[in-house]
Amino acid sequence: MNAKQMMITSSAAAILFVLLTIVISKDMGIALRTSFMLLAIFIFPVFLLPKSWTLTEKLALGPGITIAILVLLAYGTSTILHLPLTPGTSMTLVTLTIAAVSGIGIMLNTIQQNKK
Amino acid sequence: MDTENLFKRVIFVFALLILFLVLFIPHDHAKMPMHVDSWIHLTIAKEIADQRQITDTCPYQFMQTCPYPHGFHVFAALFTNVTGFPLHLLELLLVPLLFVLLGLLNFCIAKELFESEEVAFLSMIFTLLVIGNMTIIGPLYFVPQTLAFILLWTAWLLFLKKQYLLACLPFGLIIVTHRSTLVLGFFLLCANLLPLLLEKRSIKQSVMMSLIPLTILGLIALAYRKTIIPVLQYALISPIETPQQFLPQMVSWTFVVIALLGLIAMALLRNKVRWMFLPLLGFLIIDYVLFHLTGYGYGILYRRLVFFIIMFLPFMVGRGVMLLQETAEHLFKREWIKTYQIVLFVLMIVLIPKALSINLSTMPSSVWVTPQEHQLWSAFAVQHEGAELLTDHLEAYALPYYGLQPLQTSPMHLAGGYNDFLRFPYYYQNETQLIPFFKQHPHAYLYYSTPFNSSAFEPVMNRSSLGIYRFKEGSS
C-alpha cells in the first residue's frame, strides 16, 4: 500500500470515527477529540510500524502496542513521577506514545535493513 | 492487505463489518453498559479520572482497598480525560471496535500458525463464537478481560513474528490489567516456547530468546508483587467452583464436533501447531472434563476455563471446517470440488449464520440501568451528593458512579456488605419491613422504577414512572 492509498484509508477511517462518535455522544467537540484518540490508537500505528509487516498485521498489532505504551507511561507518570493525570498530562502521554510507536517502527525498519 | 483481488477484499471488509455490527447494534439499543461488572470498572475508572492519580481505594461502601489491578481503569480514565467522552458510553464505542480488532488478531495469528488464508479467514469470522453471558464476562462488555485478551493476542502474534522484546510491552500490561488472563498468558508463553526448544538447530537462540522476556517479566512481576501474589492465590490455587454451564449448550454440538475435528487436524497434520496447541488445549480440555466428572479443577477457575477454551474455539473451528474441505477433495477427487472449494463454501453459508445466531442469543435482553434511570440519578446526585439510596441489589453497583451510596449490594460481587434483610422487602415494596429500616437511616432515600404509593414516603424526584422517595419522619 502506497502513501496515497494510506491517506485515503486514514481519511475514510477518520470520517467513520467522527460519524460514529457523533452518533453516540451527540456532541461535535467530544466527537472530534474522540476521533483523534481513535485514530491515534487504531490508524496512526499503520503509518508508523515496520514496512515489512502487512497492512492487516499493522492494523491488528498497532492498537495493542499503542494501548500498552500509553497505559504503562501513565502508570510511570502517576506512580514513579507522582504527576497528576490531568487532561493536559494525558494528552502529552498520547503524543509521547505516538512518538514511541514511531520510534519502534524506525528501529525495526533499521534492524530489517541491516539484516539485508 | 494480503488478499489478492477486490472480491476477497470486499468479503474481508464485510466480515469485519459483521463483527462490528453484531456488538454495536445491541449496545446501541441498550445505550448504557450492559452488565453490572461494567459499572464496577467504570466507577473505578471514574475515581481515577476524578482523583487524577492511580489510587488503591475503591469507591464502594464496603471496600477499603481495590481488589482489581488498574491497567484497564487507567486506560478508560485516560481516554475520557483526553476526549471528554462520557465513561458510561465507552462500552458502546469501544467494545465493538475491540471485537473487530480481536477478529483481525485471530486472522493474523491463524495465518502465522496454519499458513493458510482460508483458515485465517475462517478463524476471523468464527470470532462470532466468542460469546458472552453471565458466566463468561468476555468481549461483550467493557471489562478488564476484554482489554486483557486484546493485549494477550497482540503479545502472542508478536511472539509468533519473533518480536520477543516488543511482545513484553502488551504482556507487561496484562500483569496490571487482568489476573486470570495473565495465568493463561504464562501457559501460552510456555506453549509457544516448546516448539522453539524442539527445533534442535536453534536451541541456544531459543533459550536466549525465552530468557529475555522471562527476565523482563520477572522484573515486572517483582515490581508488581502485590498483584502477582493474589494472582497465584486466585487462579493457580483455585477454589472449587462447580461447573455451571456445559460448553455444547453454549456453542452447540455442531461447533464442538467441528472444533474437535480441527484439534485432530492440528494433532496429525502440522508440526508447528501441534506442539503449540496440543499441550495447552489438552490441559484446558482435560481440566474441563475433570471439572464435569469430579467437580474439581486443577489450576483455573471453571468459568475462566470455559472462557479460555471459547477464545481458542475460532482457531479450532476454522481448522475443522478446512479439514472437511480437504477430506472432500481427498475422497471424491473431483477437480471442481478443489477449484471452487465447494464444501468450504457450503459450510460457510450454513455455519456463519448459525454462529451469528448463537452470538445474538447470548446477548442480554435488558440493562441494569436504563437511560431514563441515568438521567434521574444524575439529576438527583447533583442535589444530593453522597446520599444513601436503596435500589435493586444489582442496580446498586452503578450508584457509586453517580457519587451516591448504595444501601444493599450484590452478594455475587465481592462486597461484604450485602444487606440480606433488604432484598425481599424491597422487591415486594413491603412497608412494614422497610419503615423500621428507614427509621434507623432517616437520611436515606428509596428508589423504585415502578409506581410506589405509600403514606410513609414522599416523592423527592420523578421521571415518568421512576421515582426517588424520602421517608417522612414520624411515620409509623
Side-chain angles (χ1 to χ4, degrees):
Chain A
M1 188 175 252
N2 59 37
K4 190 182 168 187
Q5 284 172 317
M6 279 203 169
M7 282 304 291
I8 293 168
T9 311
S10 57
S11 304
I15 291 166
L16 284 175
F17 283 149
V18 169
L19 288 174
L20 178 67
T21 44
I22 285 177
V23 166
I24 297 171
S25 71
K26 316 262 188 302
D27 183 307
M28 192 61 177
I30 288 176
L32 288 175
R33 287 195 298 272
T34 309
S35 304
F36 165 75
M37 188 70 172
L38 291 176
L39 281 173
I41 292 171
F42 290 93
I43 304 296
F44 290 171
V46 175
F47 299 98
L48 306 172
L49 288 170
K51 288 171 189 168
S52 57
W53 295 3
T54 64
L55 176 65
T56 322
E57 284 171 345
K58 287 180 196 174
L59 277 170
L61 288 169
I65 294 170
T66 310
I67 291 170
I69 295 171
L70 179 63
V71 178
L72 289 173
L73 277 176
Y75 250 91
T77 306
S78 181
T79 57
I80 299 169
L81 299 176
H82 300 290
L83 288 172
L85 293 173
T86 59
T89 320
S90 305
M91 194 63 215
T92 311
L93 291 177
V94 174
T95 314
L96 280 173
T97 303
I98 295 168
V101 176
S102 176
I104 288 169
I106 292 167
M107 192 177 73
L108 291 175
N109 275 334
T110 313
I111 292 170
Q112 195 72 33
Q113 280 170 358
N114 287 344
K115 274 185 186 172
K116 285 176 187 172
Chain B
M1 197 181 293
D2 299 313
T3 41
E4 285 172 11
N5 56 44
L6 186 64
F7 180 70
K8 279 185 178 177
R9 286 186 187 191
V10 170
I11 295 287
F12 191 88
V13 173
F14 186 67
L16 291 178
L17 195 64
I18 289 175
L19 293 180
F20 178 81
L21 290 177
V22 77
L23 286 198
F24 181 75
I25 291 171
H27 280 95
D28 187 47
H29 181 69
K31 302 281 183 207
M32 298 294 281
M34 291 174 83
H35 197 273
V36 66
D37 283 25
S38 303
W39 282 107
I40 294 173
H41 295 292
L42 286 175
T43 308
I44 300 168
K46 189 167 182 282
E47 179 80 353
I48 291 173
D50 290 346
Q51 296 289 325
R52 297 184 169 179
Q53 60 178 339
I54 299 168
T55 55
D56 257 349
T57 51
C58 226
Y60 293 110
Q61 199 174 5
F62 305 106
M63 291 180 184
Q64 292 304 311
T65 51
C66 195
Y68 308 106
H70 280 321
F72 170 83
H73 312 123
V74 171
F75 170 63
L78 274 176
F79 197 99
T80 199
N81 262 352
V82 172
T83 61
F85 200 83
L87 266 169
H88 66 274
L89 294 179
L90 268 187
E91 181 166 305
L92 172 57
L93 177 70
L94 287 182
V95 164
L97 288 173
L98 291 179
F99 198 58
V100 172
L101 186 57
L102 188 68
L104 274 173
L105 283 162
N106 275 350
F107 177 87
C108 296
I109 290 169
K111 205 172 165 199
E112 285 284 331
L113 291 174
F114 302 105
E115 291 158 6
S116 156
E117 278 210 350
E118 286 87 352
V119 180
F121 179 77
L122 289 166
S123 301
M124 181 176 84
I125 194 68
F126 285 119
T127 304
L128 286 171
L129 290 172
V130 178
I131 54 172
N133 63 19
M134 284 302 284
T135 53
I136 303 173
I137 313 298
L140 194 62
Y141 309 108
F142 196 53
V143 288
Q145 194 165 356
T146 308
L147 180 63
F149 255 93
I150 293 294
L151 294 167
L152 182 58
W153 261 214
T154 304
W156 188 16
L157 181 55
L158 286 168
F159 205 90
L160 290 172
K161 287 176 68 62
K162 299 190 182 355
Q163 301 290 341
Y164 304 110
L165 272 174
L166 201 51
C168 293
L169 269 176
F171 209 106
L173 187 57
I174 296 168
I175 294 171
V176 288
T177 300
H178 194 249
R179 292 168 297 188
S180 42
T181 306
L182 178 63
V183 175
L184 181 71
F186 276 113
F187 285 133
L188 195 59
L189 184 69
C190 297
N192 279 272
L193 286 175
L194 198 61
L196 283 176
L197 294 169
L198 289 173
E199 288 172 18
K200 287 180 183 172
R201 275 181 289 182
S202 62
I203 277 185
K204 190 179 170 187
Q205 187 198 9
S206 306
V207 171
M208 289 302 292
M209 285 302 177
S210 58
L211 279 177
I212 294 169
L214 284 175
T215 310
I216 293 171
L217 286 174
L219 289 171
I220 296 170
L222 275 176
Y224 291 103
R225 60 188 176 279
K226 280 182 187 171
T227 311
I228 294 296
I229 291 166
V231 165
L232 296 173
Q233 289 171 341
Y234 179 78
L236 282 176
I237 312 163
S238 73
I240 300 162
E241 194 172 311
T242 315
Q244 291 169 321
Q245 294 204 35
F246 191 40
L247 191 64
Q249 284 170 350
M250 299 165 89
V251 293
S252 83
W253 274 107
T254 313
F255 285 111
V256 171
V257 170
I258 295 173
L260 288 174
L261 285 176
L263 205 60
I264 292 167
M266 288 178 210
L268 298 177
L269 302 175
R270 294 270 182 188
N271 280 332
K272 183 182 175 185
V273 180
R274 179 189 295 171
W275 292 114
M276 196 174 291
F277 259 102
L278 285 192
L280 178 67
L281 285 171
F283 168 71
L284 295 180
I285 289 169
I286 288 168
D287 210 9
Y288 180 83
V289 173
L290 284 173
F291 255 118
H292 274 279
L293 292 178
T294 67
Y296 290 84
Y298 300 88
I300 300 175
L301 289 168
Y302 177 76
R303 61 198 173 109
R304 301 290 185 216
L305 182 67
V306 175
F307 181 70
F308 292 162
I309 292 172
I310 281 183
M311 287 305 289
F312 288 106
L313 211 58
F315 303 113
M316 292 194 276
V317 171
R319 188 65 192 89
V321 170
M322 201 59 205
L323 179 73
L324 291 172
Q325 164 68 27
E326 288 164 358
T327 311
E329 285 173 17
H330 184 73
L331 284 179
F332 299 110
K333 298 191 190 308
R334 298 283 166 85
E335 192 55 37
W336 56 272
I337 292 179
K338 191 174 182 180
T339 311
Y340 297 108
Q341 297 193 307
I342 200 79
V343 176
L344 183 65
F345 187 70
V346 171
L347 282 172
M348 277 171 65
I349 287 177
V350 176
L351 293 176
I352 292 172
K354 190 171 173 61
L356 195 61
S357 74
I358 287 169
N359 192 307
L360 291 173
S361 68
T362 60
M363 293 283 175
S365 56
S366 59
V367 289
W368 304 111
V369 179
T370 62
Q372 293 76 24
E373 284 172 326
H374 169 73
Q375 286 177 358
L376 177 67
W377 293 355
S378 300
F380 178 74
V382 171
Q383 293 175 18
H384 303 86
E385 196 185 344
E388 290 179 320
L389 188 62
L390 176 59
T391 60
D392 173 271
H393 71 288
L394 286 171
E395 287 170 341
Y397 262 93
L399 292 180
Y401 182 80
Y402 299 91
L404 300 168
Q405 286 187 53
L407 276 172
Q408 65 169 337
T409 45
S410 167
M412 293 290 287
H413 293 92
L414 302 176
Y418 172 58
N419 194 326
D420 199 36
F421 166 77
L422 284 172
R423 192 174 184 185
F424 295 108
Y426 179 81
Y427 279 137
Y428 299 118
Q429 300 192 345
N430 187 336
E431 276 187 2
T432 51
Q433 286 177 291
L434 285 173
I435 289 170
F437 176 81
F438 274 90
K439 278 186 175 172
Q440 290 171 359
H441 297 81
H443 302 296
Y445 294 84
L446 175 66
Y447 165 75
Y448 273 115
S449 58
T450 49
F452 176 60
N453 295 313
S454 166
S455 56
F457 293 88
E458 59 183 353
V460 178
M461 202 173 268
N462 279 316
R463 289 280 160 93
S464 60
S465 66
L466 317 177
I468 294 176
Y469 305 87
R470 181 170 47 204
F471 181 63
K472 287 182 194 169
E473 285 187 35
S475 297
S476 58

